[in-house]
Amino acid sequence: MGETTLVTGATGFLGGALVRCLQAMGLPVIAQGRDPARLAALRAQGIATLALDLTQPIPRATLDALRDVSTILHCAARSAPHGPARAFTLANVTATAHLLDTAQALGVSRFLFVSSSSVSFAPTDQLDVAESDPLPPPFNAYAASKQQAEALVLDRFPAATILRPRGIYGAGDTALLPRLLRAARRGPLPVLRDKQGRIDLTHVDDVVDATLAALQAGPTAQGQIYNVSGGEVLPITEIVTKACQRAGIAPRWRPAPLAPLMGISAMLETVFNLLPGDREPPVTRYGLALFAYAQSLDLTKAQRDLGWQPRVSFDAGLDLTFANGPAG
């Protein structure tokens, strides 16, 4: 880990956390992103940056500037429960293909791809899902693009390592907890399947630690896929209630039948796909399914191969998330 590491998606939540960690460790790093203001903020912290659109082929001049890169951490992605399939394909599959071209041209020794537990999601109770379990048909366009990207990575770079984190949250998160809090502010939240829904979320610090453990594992982690989560399976109602308490929101709950809501959500998704722009419907099938079903990941493989295990409980994670004010 003594040579330069290229981190993609460094202007995003996880990528930014990884870049700052590597810099704090004294390791040379290049932060790739597309947001000029966030790249400028990283440069102000003494981090080398690269303004680059990964959906386009990488220019020759850029390859020359990256000649010292030996490791690529690919965190850049479009992540959402809804959106046009072509947009997910471009951001998550085409961009990954271009980055693999770059890895091949540079002759990098390590390629770590941050995928998602969404690749193994299905609308049913799924406890202790293992990396070796057969993948179900993708539940949405995001999951489909991540499944395709995983296959592409392992085909083009067989020694790559793939991480599948679940529900990353923490200070700076603009997706998971903020989305939950917005829903709680809008109106009553559904109580589905008699509160059977529960899940294991992941604080960003645990994902950073798992990434470093995978890099330090060397050949052990090459060609392998690892689940990453906080390891603490909590009822959805508890997760929402605790997050709302920190944000000063009093959540309201209303029992609701799952099947009709899933049907309505499917219709809403179809309508929103036809509307101009890139708007997300107020409720999605994926969001409802997370409230309805029990989901957890088996972490045995990461613990055995990487010597990694989660260290941030959900309560401690909320302390860190809300230390400087509301998350959303």
Side-chain angles (χ1 to χ4, degrees), residues 216-240:
Q216 293 165 346
T220 301
Q222 292 180 7
Q224 300 300 316
I225 299 173
Y226 295 101
N227 289 333
V228 178
S229 85
E232 187 179 13
V233 187
L234 297 174
I236 292 293
T237 51
E238 180 180 342
I239 290 171
V240 173

Side-chain angles (χ1 to χ4, degrees), residues 75-241:
C75 305
R78 176 189 174 97
S79 175
H82 171 81
R86 62 184 179 277
F88 287 106
T89 299
L90 184 63
N92 299 341
V93 182
T94 303
T96 299
H98 290 154
L99 194 62
L100 288 164
D101 291 339
T102 301
Q104 183 175 17
L106 295 174
V108 304
S109 57
R110 298 301 310 276
F111 192 103
L112 189 146
F113 174 51
V114 179
S115 184
S116 168
S117 64
S118 296
V119 300
S120 58
F121 179 84
T124 186
D125 292 328
Q126 294 178 293
L127 294 175
D128 296 321
V129 173
E131 297 88 345
S132 58
D133 291 347
L135 295 182
F139 188 69
N140 55 23
Y142 172 61
S145 69
K146 282 295 193 178
Q147 284 192 13
Q148 293 173 49
E150 283 194 4
L152 185 64
V153 167
L154 292 178
D155 178 62
R156 297 273 309 275
F157 203 114
T161 302
I162 294 175
L163 301 184
R164 290 176 179 168
R166 161 105 74 200
I168 308 173
Y169 72 99
D173 166 28
T174 60
L176 194 150
L177 290 185
R179 184 177 277 118
L180 280 177
L181 296 176
R182 285 195 298 271
R185 289 189 182 101
R186 277 199 303 264
L189 298 170
V191 176
L192 304 170
R193 298 183 68 229
D194 195 27
K195 299 184 180 180
Q196 292 185 61
R198 58 192 192 275
I199 201 167
D200 48 348
L201 300 182
T202 321
H203 189 268
V204 64
D205 287 355
D206 279 332
V207 187
V208 170
D209 286 350
T211 303
L212 296 178
L215 292 178
Q216 293 165 346
T220 301
Q222 292 180 7
Q224 300 300 316
I225 299 173
Y226 295 101
N227 289 333
V228 178
S229 85
E232 187 179 13
V233 187
L234 297 174
I236 292 293
T237 51
E238 180 180 342
I239 290 171
V240 173
T241 298

Side-chain angles (χ1 to χ4, degrees), residues 6 13 37-38 97 190 197 226 245 263 270 287:
L6 172 66
F13 178 41
R38 293 185 179 183
Y226 295 101
Q245 286 174 345
T270 300

